Amino acid sequence: KTTQTDQPTKIAENQDTSPSFPVKNENSKTIEPAIPKKDESRREFPIPVIPEKDESRRESPEVTLQKRIISEIRSKMVKVDGGSFIMGCTDEQGQDCASDEYPAHEEEVGTFYISNIEVTQQQYKAIMGKNPSYYKHCDRCPVETVSWYDANEFIKRLNKLSGESYRLPSSVEWEYAARGGKKSNSYKYSGSNDINKVAWYYDNYGG
């Protein structure tokens, strides 16, 4: 950044050097002070300065990816309005119930937000720095081979990086959301009575 000089401007030899206040000559006629002519050849202009880049403050590719992943996770959260529902082995489940789903009982759930997709391998790796999945090389596939402790550590690191308060859903919240919440149509499976329309499992995965 440049600044103007504090040195007095020189007056050219052919300029009037009269003092800068009115004076009178012998016949008492007032003489106006002379105004020096501008010397355009000596005009100064500010010179723009481009600061050097601070390489130490450049964002790393890892940090850039983390920010994108955090934004992606935030965008996938959907609101589930609270309400009550029958949890456990309900009539539409038929004989396909596990022993711990008995007896069916009513539960009350508050409003919450839940991701509309599972955590992907790319998201998990960006936050945790590793991908424990058995079926790797599929960034958009759900991460698997993850323990409950791994999942909680993922949430802990995600909260630290994002400044938000994510958590794992409770079993009641999970089943309520899977059943469709207040918009439930009492399907046997989450979203349909036909498992092939809503699930990828052993009989239809193609391998």
Side-chain angles (χ1 to χ4, degrees):
K1 182 178 178 180
T2 58
T3 57
Q4 296 289 340
T5 178
D6 293 327
Q7 295 180 352
T9 304
K10 292 183 179 179
I11 301 175
E13 292 182 357
N14 60 348
Q15 291 178 341
D16 194 335
T17 57
S18 300
S20 58
F21 49 88
V23 295
K24 288 186 178 181
N25 60 8
E26 292 181 357
N27 57 10
S28 300
K29 184 177 180 181
T30 301
I31 301 175
E32 295 299 330
I35 301 175
K37 295 180 181 180
K38 292 182 179 179
D39 185 357
E40 297 295 337
S41 65
R42 302 183 70 252
R43 190 173 183 180
E44 295 183 6
F45 294 90
I47 302 173
V49 176
I50 302 175
E52 295 182 1
K53 292 183 178 179
D54 186 353
E55 297 294 334
S56 64
R57 298 182 63 187
R58 178 177 291 182
E59 192 171 84
S60 68
E62 291 78 12
V63 172
T64 301
L65 176 60
Q66 284 180 342
K67 288 183 176 180
R68 182 176 68 78
I69 291 300
I70 289 169
S71 177
E72 180 180 83
I73 291 173
R74 186 183 296 115
S75 71
K76 297 298 182 182
M77 304 299 288
V78 294
K79 184 179 181 181
V80 180
D81 292 319
S84 61
F85 76 111
I86 301 300
M87 181 178 180
C89 189
T90 49
D91 293 340
E92 67 271 13
Q93 306 302 314
Q95 300 300 313
D96 297 330
C97 296
S99 59
D100 61 357
E101 294 183 272
Y102 294 96
H105 57 282
E106 185 174 6
E107 288 282 357
E108 188 77 23
V109 186
T111 298
F112 62 98
Y113 287 81
I114 191 169
S115 177
N116 61 6
I117 64 169
E118 296 170 288
V119 174
T120 67
Q121 294 184 25
Q122 184 184 51
Q123 291 171 347
Y124 190 90
K125 185 176 180 179
I127 302 301
M128 299 291 285
K130 59 182 179 180
N131 179 11
S133 301
Y134 179 80
Y135 298 99
K136 290 183 171 65
H137 312 298
C138 182
D139 283 348
R140 309 307 295 174
C141 293
V143 65
E144 22 91 2
T145 321
V146 175
S147 71
W148 181 86
Y149 298 100
D150 294 332
N152 275 281
E153 182 61 26
F154 172 85
I155 292 294
K156 180 181 177 181
R157 295 188 187 188
L158 176 61
N159 286 340
K160 183 176 181 180
L161 290 169
S162 66
E164 302 201 42
S165 299
Y166 294 103
R167 60 177 174 82
L168 296 178
S170 68
S171 58
V172 176
E173 289 171 332
W174 169 253
E175 185 168 329
Y176 181 67
R179 288 176 178 270
K182 281 187 172 182
K183 299 179 180 179
S184 175
N185 290 312
S186 298
Y187 290 132
K188 181 175 183 177
Y189 305 104
S190 182
S192 176
N193 284 321
D194 184 355
I195 191 174
N196 293 293
K197 291 183 177 179
V198 293
W200 189 42
Y201 66 114
Y202 183 81
D203 289 345
N204 70 357
Y205 80 106

